Each structure stands twice: as C-alpha cells, then as structure tokens.
Amino acid sequence: MASSSKIRIGLIGAGNIGNVHLQEFGKLGEECEFVAITDAYLPLAEQRAKQYGIPVVSPSPEELIRRDDVDAVIVAVPNQAHAPLTILALESGKHVLVEKPMGLDSAAAKDIVRAQKRTGKTVMVAHQMRWEPLALKVKEQVERGELGNIYTAKTGWYRRKGIPGWGTWFTQHNQSGGGPLIDIGVHMLDLAFFLMGEPKPVSVYGSTYAEFGPRKKGIGTWGKPDWNGIYDVEDLATAIIKMDDGTSLTLEVSWAVHMDTDSAPFLHLMGSDGGIALRGGEGKFLTERFDQTVDLPLAAPTDDEGARVRLSRHFLDCIRTGAQPWTSAETGLRSNLIIDAIYESSRTGGEVKLDWSL
C-alpha cells in the first residue's frame, strides 16, 4: 500500500459502536475510506452502507476479511467474536482495530498476541479514554515529573442504575466474559496504566457481587432487555492490583449500586510531589506549597476535535509507519489477565498471580 493512498477499511458490526467508527473515521476522509461492511443482521449493514456510501455489503465477516480491497478491519461485535475475527483478519494480512475488551478472557487475548507476533500486522484496542484531552494533559504532567513518584492510584466507575441489555449477550458470561468489570472496568484499567506509566501488574486480590441483576433490578437504558434471557455476571467488582515495582492500583466498578454517585468515571493518581483527580470531564492537579494544600483546575479545550478522532488517526498512523499502537495487543492482554484474576480471586478468596507466559 503506497503511503499516499487511502487506507481501505472493512467494518464488521453495524450496531451502535460500529456507527461511531463510521462517523469518526469519516472525519478523516483524506486518509481512509470504508469499502465494505457486514453485520449479523444484514439489513442494518445495508442501511449503514446506503447512509455512508459504502460500496459493498459482505454476506459474512469471513467474506469481508478475504477481500483483496480491504487493508484494515474494525471488529465491533459482541465480545466472544473478538478473538476469532481478529486472528482470522491478521492471518489474512489485515490490520485490526478491535473493540474492548480485546478478548473474552486471557486465553483468547494470548491467541491474539501470538497471531500479531506471527503476522507482524497492527492490532489496536479501541480504548478511546486515553485520547481524551484531560488524559493527554495529565500524561504530559506525569512525563514532566510534576507528580514525582506515583506510588498508588484508585480508579473506577460506579453506575447507580445502569445494567445494559438485561438477558442479552451483555449479561451472559459465555458471550460477554463478565459484567461491569469487563464492560467499563476495562476502560478504567487501561486509562490508569497509561497515566501511571505502564507498570507491570503481577498479582490481584478481588471480589465480585451480583445483588441486582439476578433480581432484575438496577436496569439501565442501554440496549433492549430480553426478559426471557440470562443474567449470570457480576454487577459490582472491587480489586487491588500490585505491580512488580511495588506500586498499586485499586479498581471499583458497578452497573448498579445503592450509593451517592454521579455515575461518572473517576481516577486518582497519588504521587510524592503531586496528585491528579479526574472525574467525568473535569480534573484537578493537587499539591502542597508553602505548607498549604493547592488545587489547580485542569480544563479541556472547548474546541477539541474529540478523543475518537485522535484514536482513529493513531490507528491509521500505526498502519502507515509500523509503530506500536499505544493500546497494543499487549495492553489488551494485560487487561484480560487482570480481569480473569479478579474473577478467580473472588471465587477462591485468595491472591492470584498473573501468568504472562504466551
């Protein structure tokens, strides 16, 4: 592919998140174009094709992946299909942007990492929170040493009443891989590791609970419930993650909980010289000067182009240059290893060591 030519993209999954990718990559029309689309429900793929001027509706993901006119594939389907489709695309010579979580579990994630190493193609996980303007501003301060030694962090996302698609694939462990831990917790894990400087996690102690979902309580507005379906995932998870350098990270997430919460994601970085507090779209730098506590507000620019545009551009740049994506297959594996360990720790009641072997 000549560096000046447009990168040709095939989209697998025409639902809500697929539509977001169509909109965001569409803003980079000089660099890329959608040439094919497919979905398990083909009329939806046909509707999107008409809406966005995509020339080909493929009858299946496999057929789309085999196309010679596709350079890169976006995998925006339920979690259990992430690994099989990503691996098939890699082995067919395609680059892949895969929605989070990268794998249904760490075994699937390791399969992706091995396939990426075999093929040398780009794999990137679509964790847009790293590209939020405040996250980038914080990263800059961390790299300048403004926080000193970041020795611990706390992150999470407590939704008060937000169970998505009760009874659908969202709430079935064999299709989703879990509840809020793998759905929204994976975002907060990725963001925390990015801002902490990518330390290596080695062990986990965690607990998960299902107090709402089994009773059909705590239902949110995302997705259409299937009241004849299954709910066999957690609705709250909490964990402490220890790193090989002695630093630690606390994670707390819920889809439903009786607590005073604004349902916004949060992150606290605690450093020897300063701290960061992020909540929703707002942030503060916290430090001490002249024996007094000092809080400095962090504001996002009002004319920001958006996190997902930056994410999309980064994916295209990595394809062109061969650079390692910020959210590489290894970062996806790290999240899956931690999530599996939290579930295992909750089952066994003990600390779980992470197995990084491929």
PDB file of all heavy atoms in Angstrom, residues 68-105:
ATOM      1  N   ASP A  68      -9.669  -8.608  -1.241  1.00  0.00           N
ATOM      2  CA  ASP A  68      -8.353  -8.037  -1.576  1.00  0.00           C
ATOM      3  C   ASP A  68      -8.338  -6.517  -1.442  1.00  0.00           C
ATOM      4  O   ASP A  68      -7.262  -5.916  -1.340  1.00  0.00           O
ATOM      5  CB  ASP A  68      -7.972  -8.400  -3.024  1.00  0.00           C
ATOM      6  CG  ASP A  68      -7.683  -9.893  -3.161  1.00  0.00           C
ATOM      7  OD1 ASP A  68      -7.342 -10.523  -2.133  1.00  0.00           O
ATOM      8  OD2 ASP A  68      -7.823 -10.421  -4.280  1.00  0.00           O
ATOM      9  N   ASP A  69      -9.510  -5.887  -1.501  1.00  0.00           N
ATOM     10  CA  ASP A  69      -9.543  -4.422  -1.456  1.00  0.00           C
ATOM     11  C   ASP A  69      -9.705  -3.891  -0.028  1.00  0.00           C
ATOM     12  O   ASP A  69     -10.003  -2.719   0.171  1.00  0.00           O
ATOM     13  CB  ASP A  69     -10.660  -3.869  -2.356  1.00  0.00           C
ATOM     14  CG  ASP A  69     -12.051  -4.338  -1.933  1.00  0.00           C
ATOM     15  OD1 ASP A  69     -12.153  -5.229  -1.055  1.00  0.00           O
ATOM     16  OD2 ASP A  69     -13.040  -3.813  -2.482  1.00  0.00           O
ATOM     17  N   VAL A  70      -9.507  -4.759   0.980  1.00  0.00           N
ATOM     18  CA  VAL A  70      -9.572  -4.338   2.387  1.00  0.00           C
ATOM     19  C   VAL A  70      -8.166  -4.400   2.984  1.00  0.00           C
ATOM     20  O   VAL A  70      -7.522  -5.447   2.972  1.00  0.00           O
ATOM     21  CB  VAL A  70     -10.547  -5.232   3.195  1.00  0.00           C
ATOM     22  CG1 VAL A  70     -10.429  -4.971   4.689  1.00  0.00           C
ATOM     23  CG2 VAL A  70     -11.984  -5.015   2.730  1.00  0.00           C
ATOM     24  N   ASP A  71      -7.683  -3.267   3.501  1.00  0.00           N
ATOM     25  CA  ASP A  71      -6.369  -3.209   4.155  1.00  0.00           C
ATOM     26  C   ASP A  71      -6.476  -3.443   5.660  1.00  0.00           C
ATOM     27  O   ASP A  71      -5.577  -3.998   6.286  1.00  0.00           O
ATOM     28  CB  ASP A  71      -5.717  -1.832   3.951  1.00  0.00           C
ATOM     29  CG  ASP A  71      -5.561  -1.463   2.488  1.00  0.00           C
ATOM     30  OD1 ASP A  71      -5.077  -2.314   1.722  1.00  0.00           O
ATOM     31  OD2 ASP A  71      -5.943  -0.329   2.116  1.00  0.00           O
ATOM     32  N   ALA A  72      -7.564  -2.954   6.239  1.00  0.00           N
ATOM     33  CA  ALA A  72      -7.727  -2.995   7.695  1.00  0.00           C
ATOM     34  C   ALA A  72      -9.182  -3.287   8.038  1.00  0.00           C
ATOM     35  O   ALA A  72     -10.099  -2.917   7.304  1.00  0.00           O
ATOM     36  CB  ALA A  72      -7.311  -1.658   8.312  1.00  0.00           C
ATOM     37  N   VAL A  73      -9.362  -3.953   9.173  1.00  0.00           N
ATOM     38  CA  VAL A  73     -10.690  -4.364   9.607  1.00  0.00           C
ATOM     39  C   VAL A  73     -10.972  -3.765  10.985  1.00  0.00           C
ATOM     40  O   VAL A  73     -10.090  -3.752  11.846  1.00  0.00           O
ATOM     41  CB  VAL A  73     -10.765  -5.909   9.666  1.00  0.00           C
ATOM     42  CG1 VAL A  73     -12.005  -6.382  10.392  1.00  0.00           C
ATOM     43  CG2 VAL A  73     -10.727  -6.498   8.260  1.00  0.00           C
ATOM     44  N   ILE A  74     -12.184  -3.276  11.189  1.00  0.00           N
ATOM     45  CA  ILE A  74     -12.643  -2.861  12.517  1.00  0.00           C
ATOM     46  C   ILE A  74     -13.606  -3.931  13.019  1.00  0.00           C
ATOM     47  O   ILE A  74     -14.591  -4.250  12.338  1.00  0.00           O
ATOM     48  CB  ILE A  74     -13.341  -1.487  12.481  1.00  0.00           C
ATOM     49  CG1 ILE A  74     -12.371  -0.409  11.994  1.00  0.00           C
ATOM     50  CG2 ILE A  74     -13.895  -1.129  13.868  1.00  0.00           C
ATOM     51  CD1 ILE A  74     -13.016   0.958  11.765  1.00  0.00           C
ATOM     52  N   VAL A  75     -13.305  -4.485  14.189  1.00  0.00           N
ATOM     53  CA  VAL A  75     -14.135  -5.535  14.785  1.00  0.00           C
ATOM     54  C   VAL A  75     -14.991  -4.895  15.871  1.00  0.00           C
ATOM     55  O   VAL A  75     -14.491  -4.536  16.938  1.00  0.00           O
ATOM     56  CB  VAL A  75     -13.265  -6.675  15.350  1.00  0.00           C
ATOM     57  CG1 VAL A  75     -14.125  -7.719  16.050  1.00  0.00           C
ATOM     58  CG2 VAL A  75     -12.429  -7.322  14.237  1.00  0.00           C
ATOM     59  N   ALA A  76     -16.287  -4.718  15.586  1.00  0.00           N
ATOM     60  CA  ALA A  76     -17.206  -4.033  16.504  1.00  0.00           C
ATOM     61  C   ALA A  76     -18.442  -4.905  16.725  1.00  0.00           C
ATOM     62  O   ALA A  76     -19.557  -4.552  16.361  1.00  0.00           O
ATOM     63  CB  ALA A  76     -17.595  -2.668  15.924  1.00  0.00           C
ATOM     64  N   VAL A  77     -18.192  -6.071  17.309  1.00  0.00           N
ATOM     65  CA  VAL A  77     -19.229  -7.090  17.511  1.00  0.00           C
ATOM     66  C   VAL A  77     -19.178  -7.559  18.971  1.00  0.00           C
ATOM     67  O   VAL A  77     -18.259  -7.195  19.703  1.00  0.00           O
ATOM     68  CB  VAL A  77     -18.998  -8.280  16.553  1.00  0.00           C
ATOM     69  CG1 VAL A  77     -19.177  -7.867  15.107  1.00  0.00           C
ATOM     70  CG2 VAL A  77     -17.600  -8.877  16.756  1.00  0.00           C
ATOM     71  N   PRO A  78     -20.139  -8.388  19.427  1.00  0.00           N
ATOM     72  CA  PRO A  78     -20.074  -8.902  20.802  1.00  0.00           C
ATOM     73  C   PRO A  78     -18.741  -9.585  21.127  1.00  0.00           C
ATOM     74  O   PRO A  78     -18.063 -10.136  20.243  1.00  0.00           O
ATOM     75  CB  PRO A  78     -21.244  -9.880  20.862  1.00  0.00           C
ATOM     76  CG  PRO A  78     -22.260  -9.282  19.924  1.00  0.00           C
ATOM     77  CD  PRO A  78     -21.437  -8.719  18.786  1.00  0.00           C
ATOM     78  N   ASN A  79     -18.395  -9.542  22.416  1.00  0.00           N
ATOM     79  CA  ASN A  79     -17.042  -9.887  22.883  1.00  0.00           C
ATOM     80  C   ASN A  79     -16.549 -11.263  22.463  1.00  0.00           C
ATOM     81  O   ASN A  79     -15.362 -11.445  22.189  1.00  0.00           O
ATOM     82  CB  ASN A  79     -16.979  -9.791  24.410  1.00  0.00           C
ATOM     83  CG  ASN A  79     -17.298  -8.390  24.919  1.00  0.00           C
ATOM     84  OD1 ASN A  79     -17.380  -7.448  24.143  1.00  0.00           O
ATOM     85  ND2 ASN A  79     -17.475  -8.253  26.215  1.00  0.00           N
ATOM     86  N   GLN A  80     -17.443 -12.263  22.426  1.00  0.00           N
ATOM     87  CA  GLN A  80     -16.953 -13.617  22.176  1.00  0.00           C
ATOM     88  C   GLN A  80     -16.401 -13.782  20.764  1.00  0.00           C
ATOM     89  O   GLN A  80     -15.641 -14.709  20.498  1.00  0.00           O
ATOM     90  CB  GLN A  80     -18.041 -14.668  22.480  1.00  0.00           C
ATOM     91  CG  GLN A  80     -19.042 -14.939  21.354  1.00  0.00           C
ATOM     92  CD  GLN A  80     -20.230 -13.998  21.395  1.00  0.00           C
ATOM     93  OE1 GLN A  80     -20.153 -12.907  21.960  1.00  0.00           O
ATOM     94  NE2 GLN A  80     -21.342 -14.395  20.804  1.00  0.00           N
ATOM     95  N   ALA A  81     -16.759 -12.867  19.845  1.00  0.00           N
ATOM     96  CA  ALA A  81     -16.264 -12.959  18.467  1.00  0.00           C
ATOM     97  C   ALA A  81     -14.991 -12.151  18.235  1.00  0.00           C
ATOM     98  O   ALA A  81     -14.400 -12.221  17.160  1.00  0.00           O
ATOM     99  CB  ALA A  81     -17.354 -12.503  17.495  1.00  0.00           C
ATOM    100  N   HIS A  82     -14.541 -11.376  19.234  1.00  0.00           N
ATOM    101  CA  HIS A  82     -13.372 -10.513  19.038  1.00  0.00           C
ATOM    102  C   HIS A  82     -12.136 -11.300  18.609  1.00  0.00           C
ATOM    103  O   HIS A  82     -11.493 -10.976  17.616  1.00  0.00           O
ATOM    104  CB  HIS A  82     -13.049  -9.718  20.312  1.00  0.00           C
ATOM    105  CG  HIS A  82     -14.019  -8.621  20.592  1.00  0.00           C
ATOM    106  ND1 HIS A  82     -13.838  -7.715  21.617  1.00  0.00           N
ATOM    107  CD2 HIS A  82     -15.185  -8.265  19.981  1.00  0.00           C
ATOM    108  CE1 HIS A  82     -14.856  -6.859  21.629  1.00  0.00           C
ATOM    109  NE2 HIS A  82     -15.679  -7.182  20.653  1.00  0.00           N
ATOM    110  N   ALA A  83     -11.774 -12.320  19.385  1.00  0.00           N
ATOM    111  CA  ALA A  83     -10.536 -13.055  19.088  1.00  0.00           C
ATOM    112  C   ALA A  83     -10.610 -13.824  17.771  1.00  0.00           C
ATOM    113  O   ALA A  83      -9.705 -13.698  16.933  1.00  0.00           O
ATOM    114  CB  ALA A  83     -10.164 -13.975  20.252  1.00  0.00           C
ATOM    115  N   PRO A  84     -11.663 -14.630  17.530  1.00  0.00           N
ATOM    116  CA  PRO A  84     -11.693 -15.373  16.264  1.00  0.00           C
ATOM    117  C   PRO A  84     -11.595 -14.478  15.035  1.00  0.00           C
ATOM    118  O   PRO A  84     -10.857 -14.776  14.090  1.00  0.00           O
ATOM    119  CB  PRO A  84     -13.033 -16.116  16.296  1.00  0.00           C
ATOM    120  CG  PRO A  84     -13.515 -16.071  17.692  1.00  0.00           C
ATOM    121  CD  PRO A  84     -12.806 -14.965  18.402  1.00  0.00           C
ATOM    122  N   LEU A  85     -12.332 -13.360  15.048  1.00  0.00           N
ATOM    123  CA  LEU A  85     -12.326 -12.474  13.870  1.00  0.00           C
ATOM    124  C   LEU A  85     -11.012 -11.708  13.751  1.00  0.00           C
ATOM    125  O   LEU A  85     -10.496 -11.514  12.646  1.00  0.00           O
ATOM    126  CB  LEU A  85     -13.506 -11.499  13.929  1.00  0.00           C
ATOM    127  CG  LEU A  85     -14.894 -12.133  13.757  1.00  0.00           C
ATOM    128  CD1 LEU A  85     -15.988 -11.084  13.919  1.00  0.00           C
ATOM    129  CD2 LEU A  85     -15.019 -12.827  12.401  1.00  0.00           C
ATOM    130  N   THR A  86     -10.445 -11.274  14.885  1.00  0.00           N
ATOM    131  CA  THR A  86      -9.165 -10.561  14.855  1.00  0.00           C
ATOM    132  C   THR A  86      -8.070 -11.469  14.316  1.00  0.00           C
ATOM    133  O   THR A  86      -7.273 -11.060  13.458  1.00  0.00           O
ATOM    134  CB  THR A  86      -8.799 -10.060  16.272  1.00  0.00           C
ATOM    135  OG1 THR A  86      -9.798  -9.114  16.689  1.00  0.00           O
ATOM    136  CG2 THR A  86      -7.440  -9.388  16.297  1.00  0.00           C
ATOM    137  N   ILE A  87      -8.034 -12.709  14.788  1.00  0.00           N
ATOM    138  CA  ILE A  87      -6.994 -13.659  14.350  1.00  0.00           C
ATOM    139  C   ILE A  87      -7.156 -13.996  12.870  1.00  0.00           C
ATOM    140  O   ILE A  87      -6.175 -14.019  12.115  1.00  0.00           O
ATOM    141  CB  ILE A  87      -7.019 -14.923  15.238  1.00  0.00           C
ATOM    142  CG1 ILE A  87      -6.553 -14.561  16.658  1.00  0.00           C
ATOM    143  CG2 ILE A  87      -6.141 -16.029  14.651  1.00  0.00           C
ATOM    144  CD1 ILE A  87      -6.906 -15.582  17.710  1.00  0.00           C
ATOM    145  N   LEU A  88      -8.394 -14.228  12.444  1.00  0.00           N
ATOM    146  CA  LEU A  88      -8.649 -14.516  11.024  1.00  0.00           C
ATOM    147  C   LEU A  88      -8.197 -13.339  10.158  1.00  0.00           C
ATOM    148  O   LEU A  88      -7.559 -13.529   9.111  1.00  0.00           O
ATOM    149  CB  LEU A  88     -10.139 -14.797  10.807  1.00  0.00           C
ATOM    150  CG  LEU A  88     -10.553 -15.179   9.383  1.00  0.00           C
ATOM    151  CD1 LEU A  88      -9.903 -16.501   8.967  1.00  0.00           C
ATOM    152  CD2 LEU A  88     -12.073 -15.285   9.274  1.00  0.00           C
ATOM    153  N   ALA A  89      -8.488 -12.120  10.603  1.00  0.00           N
ATOM    154  CA  ALA A  89      -8.089 -10.928   9.838  1.00  0.00           C
ATOM    155  C   ALA A  89      -6.570 -10.807   9.767  1.00  0.00           C
ATOM    156  O   ALA A  89      -6.006 -10.534   8.698  1.00  0.00           O
ATOM    157  CB  ALA A  89      -8.706  -9.679  10.460  1.00  0.00           C
ATOM    158  N   LEU A  90      -5.891 -11.015  10.889  1.00  0.00           N
ATOM    159  CA  LEU A  90      -4.419 -10.946  10.905  1.00  0.00           C
ATOM    160  C   LEU A  90      -3.824 -11.969   9.951  1.00  0.00           C
ATOM    161  O   LEU A  90      -2.912 -11.661   9.175  1.00  0.00           O
ATOM    162  CB  LEU A  90      -3.898 -11.193  12.325  1.00  0.00           C
ATOM    163  CG  LEU A  90      -4.152 -10.086  13.352  1.00  0.00           C
ATOM    164  CD1 LEU A  90      -3.795 -10.576  14.750  1.00  0.00           C
ATOM    165  CD2 LEU A  90      -3.358  -8.828  13.009  1.00  0.00           C
ATOM    166  N   GLU A  91      -4.347 -13.182  10.010  1.00  0.00           N
ATOM    167  CA  GLU A  91      -3.794 -14.256   9.163  1.00  0.00           C
ATOM    168  C   GLU A  91      -4.140 -14.063   7.694  1.00  0.00           C
ATOM    169  O   GLU A  91      -3.532 -14.673   6.829  1.00  0.00           O
ATOM    170  CB  GLU A  91      -4.252 -15.616   9.698  1.00  0.00           C
ATOM    171  CG  GLU A  91      -3.537 -15.917  11.029  1.00  0.00           C
ATOM    172  CD  GLU A  91      -4.000 -17.190  11.714  1.00  0.00           C
ATOM    173  OE1 GLU A  91      -5.090 -17.703  11.348  1.00  0.00           O
ATOM    174  OE2 GLU A  91      -3.279 -17.656  12.620  1.00  0.00           O
ATOM    175  N   SER A  92      -5.101 -13.167   7.438  1.00  0.00           N
ATOM    176  CA  SER A  92      -5.442 -12.814   6.052  1.00  0.00           C
ATOM    177  C   SER A  92      -4.708 -11.550   5.609  1.00  0.00           C
ATOM    178  O   SER A  92      -5.029 -10.968   4.571  1.00  0.00           O
ATOM    179  CB  SER A  92      -6.957 -12.610   5.923  1.00  0.00           C
ATOM    180  OG  SER A  92      -7.649 -13.760   6.346  1.00  0.00           O
ATOM    181  N   GLY A  93      -3.739 -11.112   6.435  1.00  0.00           N
ATOM    182  CA  GLY A  93      -2.915  -9.962   6.056  1.00  0.00           C
ATOM    183  C   GLY A  93      -3.529  -8.610   6.329  1.00  0.00           C
ATOM    184  O   GLY A  93      -3.099  -7.601   5.768  1.00  0.00           O
ATOM    185  N   LYS A  94      -4.538  -8.567   7.200  1.00  0.00           N
ATOM    186  CA  LYS A  94      -5.193  -7.295   7.502  1.00  0.00           C
ATOM    187  C   LYS A  94      -4.718  -6.741   8.852  1.00  0.00           C
ATOM    188  O   LYS A  94      -4.379  -7.488   9.763  1.00  0.00           O
ATOM    189  CB  LYS A  94      -6.721  -7.450   7.587  1.00  0.00           C
ATOM    190  CG  LYS A  94      -7.358  -8.293   6.497  1.00  0.00           C
ATOM    191  CD  LYS A  94      -7.155  -7.751   5.102  1.00  0.00           C
ATOM    192  CE  LYS A  94      -8.006  -8.537   4.090  1.00  0.00           C
ATOM    193  NZ  LYS A  94      -7.483  -8.502   2.737  1.00  0.00           N
ATOM    194  N   HIS A  95      -4.739  -5.418   8.974  1.00  0.00           N
ATOM    195  CA  HIS A  95      -4.549  -4.744  10.254  1.00  0.00           C
ATOM    196  C   HIS A  95      -5.907  -4.724  10.964  1.00  0.00           C
ATOM    197  O   HIS A  95      -6.946  -4.739  10.301  1.00  0.00           O
ATOM    198  CB  HIS A  95      -4.043  -3.319  10.042  1.00  0.00           C
ATOM    199  CG  HIS A  95      -2.786  -3.251   9.219  1.00  0.00           C
ATOM    200  ND1 HIS A  95      -1.548  -3.553   9.725  1.00  0.00           N
ATOM    201  CD2 HIS A  95      -2.601  -2.937   7.902  1.00  0.00           C
ATOM    202  CE1 HIS A  95      -0.637  -3.414   8.776  1.00  0.00           C
ATOM    203  NE2 HIS A  95      -1.244  -3.044   7.663  1.00  0.00           N
ATOM    204  N   VAL A  96      -5.896  -4.652  12.299  1.00  0.00           N
ATOM    205  CA  VAL A  96      -7.158  -4.761  13.038  1.00  0.00           C
ATOM    206  C   VAL A  96      -7.274  -3.712  14.145  1.00  0.00           C
ATOM    207  O   VAL A  96      -6.363  -3.546  14.958  1.00  0.00           O
ATOM    208  CB  VAL A  96      -7.315  -6.165  13.681  1.00  0.00           C
ATOM    209  CG1 VAL A  96      -8.672  -6.272  14.392  1.00  0.00           C
ATOM    210  CG2 VAL A  96      -7.171  -7.276  12.647  1.00  0.00           C
ATOM    211  N   LEU A  97      -8.417  -3.029  14.159  1.00  0.00           N
ATOM    212  CA  LEU A  97      -8.845  -2.235  15.317  1.00  0.00           C
ATOM    213  C   LEU A  97      -9.994  -3.007  15.948  1.00  0.00           C
ATOM    214  O   LEU A  97     -11.031  -3.215  15.319  1.00  0.00           O
ATOM    215  CB  LEU A  97      -9.316  -0.846  14.881  1.00  0.00           C
ATOM    216  CG  LEU A  97      -9.846   0.060  16.005  1.00  0.00           C
ATOM    217  CD1 LEU A  97      -8.743   0.427  16.996  1.00  0.00           C
ATOM    218  CD2 LEU A  97     -10.483   1.331  15.436  1.00  0.00           C
ATOM    219  N   VAL A  98      -9.788  -3.478  17.177  1.00  0.00           N
ATOM    220  CA  VAL A  98     -10.791  -4.319  17.837  1.00  0.00           C
ATOM    221  C   VAL A  98     -11.370  -3.582  19.041  1.00  0.00           C
ATOM    222  O   VAL A  98     -10.647  -2.925  19.785  1.00  0.00           O
ATOM    223  CB  VAL A  98     -10.198  -5.697  18.226  1.00  0.00           C
ATOM    224  CG1 VAL A  98      -8.998  -5.561  19.160  1.00  0.00           C
ATOM    225  CG2 VAL A  98     -11.256  -6.608  18.854  1.00  0.00           C
ATOM    226  N   GLU A  99     -12.672  -3.668  19.187  1.00  0.00           N
ATOM    227  CA  GLU A  99     -13.322  -3.047  20.337  1.00  0.00           C
ATOM    228  C   GLU A  99     -12.868  -3.724  21.626  1.00  0.00           C
ATOM    229  O   GLU A  99     -12.407  -4.852  21.628  1.00  0.00           O
ATOM    230  CB  GLU A  99     -14.849  -3.115  20.204  1.00  0.00           C
ATOM    231  CG  GLU A  99     -15.450  -1.876  19.571  1.00  0.00           C
ATOM    232  CD  GLU A  99     -15.107  -0.590  20.306  1.00  0.00           C
ATOM    233  OE1 GLU A  99     -15.064  -0.586  21.551  1.00  0.00           O
ATOM    234  OE2 GLU A  99     -14.872   0.433  19.630  1.00  0.00           O
ATOM    235  N   LYS A 100     -13.016  -3.010  22.738  1.00  0.00           N
ATOM    236  CA  LYS A 100     -12.659  -3.571  24.036  1.00  0.00           C
ATOM    237  C   LYS A 100     -13.808  -4.458  24.533  1.00  0.00           C
ATOM    238  O   LYS A 100     -14.952  -4.243  24.139  1.00  0.00           O
ATOM    239  CB  LYS A 100     -12.318  -2.456  25.025  1.00  0.00           C
ATOM    240  CG  LYS A 100     -13.447  -1.432  25.239  1.00  0.00           C
ATOM    241  CD  LYS A 100     -14.494  -1.902  26.233  1.00  0.00           C
ATOM    242  CE  LYS A 100     -15.776  -1.184  26.129  1.00  0.00           C
ATOM    243  NZ  LYS A 100     -16.850  -1.822  26.901  1.00  0.00           N
ATOM    244  N   PRO A 101     -13.547  -5.445  25.379  1.00  0.00           N
ATOM    245  CA  PRO A 101     -12.238  -5.962  25.763  1.00  0.00           C
ATOM    246  C   PRO A 101     -11.647  -6.729  24.581  1.00  0.00           C
ATOM    247  O   PRO A 101     -12.383  -7.281  23.771  1.00  0.00           O
ATOM    248  CB  PRO A 101     -12.571  -6.920  26.913  1.00  0.00           C
ATOM    249  CG  PRO A 101     -13.934  -7.442  26.556  1.00  0.00           C
ATOM    250  CD  PRO A 101     -14.653  -6.277  25.921  1.00  0.00           C
ATOM    251  N   MET A 102     -10.308  -6.756  24.489  1.00  0.00           N
ATOM    252  CA  MET A 102      -9.696  -7.396  23.334  1.00  0.00           C
ATOM    253  C   MET A 102     -10.154  -8.854  23.206  1.00  0.00           C
ATOM    254  O   MET A 102     -10.520  -9.309  22.130  1.00  0.00           O
ATOM    255  CB  MET A 102      -8.176  -7.327  23.427  1.00  0.00           C
ATOM    256  CG  MET A 102      -7.481  -7.817  22.165  1.00  0.00           C
ATOM    257  SD  MET A 102      -5.700  -7.553  22.216  1.00  0.00           S
ATOM    258  CE  MET A 102      -5.149  -8.958  23.199  1.00  0.00           C
ATOM    259  N   GLY A 103     -10.123  -9.575  24.339  1.00  0.00           N
ATOM    260  CA  GLY A 103     -10.541 -10.974  24.320  1.00  0.00           C
ATOM    261  C   GLY A 103     -11.648 -11.238  25.318  1.00  0.00           C
ATOM    262  O   GLY A 103     -11.875 -10.452  26.240  1.00  0.00           O
ATOM    263  N   LEU A 104     -12.334 -12.354  25.139  1.00  0.00           N
ATOM    264  CA  LEU A 104     -13.353 -12.780  26.100  1.00  0.00           C
ATOM    265  C   LEU A 104     -12.688 -13.119  27.432  1.00  0.00           C
ATOM    266  O   LEU A 104     -13.260 -12.933  28.494  1.00  0.00           O
ATOM    267  CB  LEU A 104     -14.088 -14.005  25.552  1.00  0.00           C
ATOM    268  CG  LEU A 104     -15.379 -14.428  26.239  1.00  0.00           C
ATOM    269  CD1 LEU A 104     -16.469 -13.396  26.042  1.00  0.00           C
ATOM    270  CD2 LEU A 104     -15.856 -15.790  25.715  1.00  0.00           C
ATOM    271  N   ASP A 105     -11.449 -13.616  27.338  1.00  0.00           N
ATOM    272  CA  ASP A 105     -10.662 -13.943  28.534  1.00  0.00           C
ATOM    273  C   ASP A 105      -9.188 -13.898  28.147  1.00  0.00           C
ATOM    274  O   ASP A 105      -8.846 -13.601  26.993  1.00  0.00           O
ATOM    275  CB  ASP A 105     -11.048 -15.320  29.100  1.00  0.00           C
ATOM    276  CG  ASP A 105     -10.996 -16.424  28.053  1.00  0.00           C
ATOM    277  OD1 ASP A 105     -10.201 -16.303  27.077  1.00  0.00           O
ATOM    278  OD2 ASP A 105     -11.731 -17.413  28.188  1.00  0.00           O
TER     279      ASP A 105
END
